[in-house]
Amino acid sequence: MSEKTDRYLVLISKIIFFYSIFFVVMKVISMFQGAWVIPNLILSLPYLVFGLVGGYMVKYNKYHWAYVIAGVILISIVRYYEVEWMLQLQERFS
């Protein structure tokens, strides 16, 4: 790969990593402020996994395009359907 492609890979991987950590932290904060616990926990699990994998990648400086592609797809799908899934999960577990 070229140096420019490697820079994009590292940059996008770090953005996905930090976004995943931010999303999990925001869900935990919202649960302490009275939001539904079970739906928020379930919806934050994929981000927790991406945060852990991203942390490993950043620590050992090993990046992969599969992480970037899967991260973009996951973030897009979860953010698009988040409200609908949140309501369905709350109805299911209440």
Side-chain angles (χ1 to χ4, degrees):
M1 277 194 254
S2 70
E3 183 180 324
K4 190 173 187 177
T5 305
D6 287 340
R7 286 189 303 190
Y8 287 136
L9 174 63
V10 171
L11 176 66
I12 297 170
S13 296
K14 287 182 180 180
I15 289 171
I16 292 171
F17 166 63
F18 288 119
Y19 180 80
S20 298
I21 297 302
F22 173 76
F23 189 85
V24 171
V25 169
M26 292 308 296
K27 287 295 182 182
V28 169
I29 290 171
S30 71
M31 285 185 282
F32 283 116
Q33 293 177 348
W36 297 325
V37 175
I38 294 175
N40 280 306
L41 283 175
I42 291 172
L43 287 177
S44 66
L45 284 177
Y47 289 100
L48 182 62
V49 171
F50 267 87
L52 293 172
V53 171
Y56 173 82
M57 289 174 28
V58 168
K59 182 177 181 178
Y60 293 106
N61 204 22
K62 295 182 179 183
Y63 301 95
H64 200 275
W65 280 107
Y67 176 80
V68 171
I69 293 168
V72 168
I73 291 171
L74 172 88
I75 289 169
S76 300
I77 289 173
V78 171
R79 293 299 294 167
Y80 185 78
Y81 292 107
E82 181 179 10
V83 175
E84 182 180 335
W85 288 347
M86 186 80 67
L87 292 172
Q88 290 175 354
L89 288 168
Q90 179 61 20
E91 288 177 9
R92 172 89 171 120
F93 291 108
S94 63

